[in-house]
């Protein structure tokens, strides 16, 4: 027997909050974070905190950012979140200090289990360390740890952990050289 999508259940993981909170968040996310005209970063940070995100000081959040569940988000100090970043955090996402998520980056904590006929979710947390740079249009996959000062270059896909001070490129991303200052 193959995949039977009619047997898929969207409730096979912990969303962390009830349906009403999720609905209210969808509205505010669309109005203030995903909106390209709303540029007031301090209000975005306040809004995320009010929905349970742990956000440090000096965080920059550009327009058109999409965050699935703010209550599953921890962001350190002096973090830059660029235009069009999507944090699809079905599981916890932790971002360290001085990290940069460039334009269009995707942090993807969940995927469907292709081995399951009901196509259940397989979710794993993502951890972005201090000083990490996730390049534009790059993807960080479920369960990946980007250790301190690592770089994922433009358009790359991290399917495995990135070691400290490593520069990674490609799909899947592979180590190309050490980051030096």
């Amino acid at each position: 027997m193959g995949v039977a999508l009619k047997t898929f259940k969207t409730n096979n993981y912990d969303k962390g909050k009830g349906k009403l909170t999720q609905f209210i968040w969808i509205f505010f996310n669309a109005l203030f974070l995903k909106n390209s005209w709303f540029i007031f970063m301090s209000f975005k940070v306040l809004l995320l905190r009010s929905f349970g995100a742990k956000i440090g000081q000096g965080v920059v959040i550009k327009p058109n950012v999409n965050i699935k569940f703010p209550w599953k988000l921890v962001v350190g100090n002096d973090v830059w979140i660029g235009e069009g970043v999507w944090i699809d955090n079905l599981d916890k996402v932790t971002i360290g200090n001085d990290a940069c998520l460039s334009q269009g980056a995707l942090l993807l904590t969940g995927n469907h289990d292709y081995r399951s006929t009901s196509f259940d979710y397989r979710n794993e947390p993502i951890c972005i360390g201090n000083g990490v740079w996730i390049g534009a249009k790059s993807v960080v996959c479920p369960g990946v740890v980007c250790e301190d000062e690592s770089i994922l270059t433009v358009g790359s896909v991290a399917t495995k952990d990135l070691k400290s001070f490593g520069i990674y490129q490609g799909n899947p991303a592979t180590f190309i050289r050490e980051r030096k200052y």
Side-chain angles (χ1 to χ4, degrees):
M1 179 175 166
V3 173
L5 293 178
K6 66 183 176 186
T7 63
F8 173 75
K9 292 178 180 61
T10 60
N11 293 328
N12 67 351
Y13 72 97
D14 181 14
K15 294 175 180 70
K17 297 285 182 184
K19 290 184 188 283
L20 179 60
T21 302
Q22 291 175 52
F23 177 77
I24 293 168
W25 171 249
I26 289 169
F27 174 76
F28 282 109
N29 189 34
L31 192 60
F32 297 113
L33 266 72
K34 290 170 70 173
N35 185 329
S36 61
W37 295 100
F38 193 82
I39 59 171
F40 303 105
M41 287 179 258
S42 59
F43 181 79
K44 293 176 188 181
V45 168
L46 179 66
L47 181 65
L48 287 165
R49 285 179 181 149
S50 71
F51 275 89
K54 293 174 179 62
I55 309 282
Q57 300 301 311
V59 173
V60 173
I61 303 173
K62 294 291 192 165
N64 294 319
V65 170
N66 186 14
I67 297 172
K68 178 79 85 183
F69 296 141
W71 46 89
K72 293 185 175 194
L73 180 63
V74 176
V75 178
N77 297 320
D78 303 312
V79 171
W80 294 354
I81 301 175
E83 292 91 348
V85 166
W86 183 6
I87 301 176
D88 192 22
N89 57 334
L90 302 172
D91 209 317
K92 185 175 182 179
V93 169
T94 304
I95 302 169
N97 300 322
D98 299 300
C100 177
L101 306 178
S102 293
Q103 303 89 333
L106 170 60
L107 305 184
L108 183 63
T109 63
N111 203 346
H112 292 279
D113 187 351
Y114 64 88
R115 297 166 298 183
S116 166
T117 58
S118 60
F119 221 40
D120 295 333
Y121 283 122
R122 268 192 328 198
N123 301 333
E124 294 182 71
I126 289 175
C127 183
I128 307 291
N130 297 324
V132 171
W133 181 10
I134 304 298
K137 301 289 185 180
S138 292
V139 179
V140 179
C141 292
V144 169
V145 174
C146 301
E147 294 180 5
D148 292 350
E149 304 293 333
S150 59
I151 296 175
L152 183 63
T153 65
V154 172
S156 296
V157 179
T159 59
K160 294 186 174 16
D161 293 352
L162 309 183
K163 300 299 178 197
S164 291
F165 291 93
I167 300 174
Y168 293 80
Q169 182 176 44
N171 181 7
T174 57
F175 176 82
I176 56 170
R177 70 179 164 272
E178 189 174 320
R179 183 178 191 177
K180 297 184 189 223
Y181 290 100

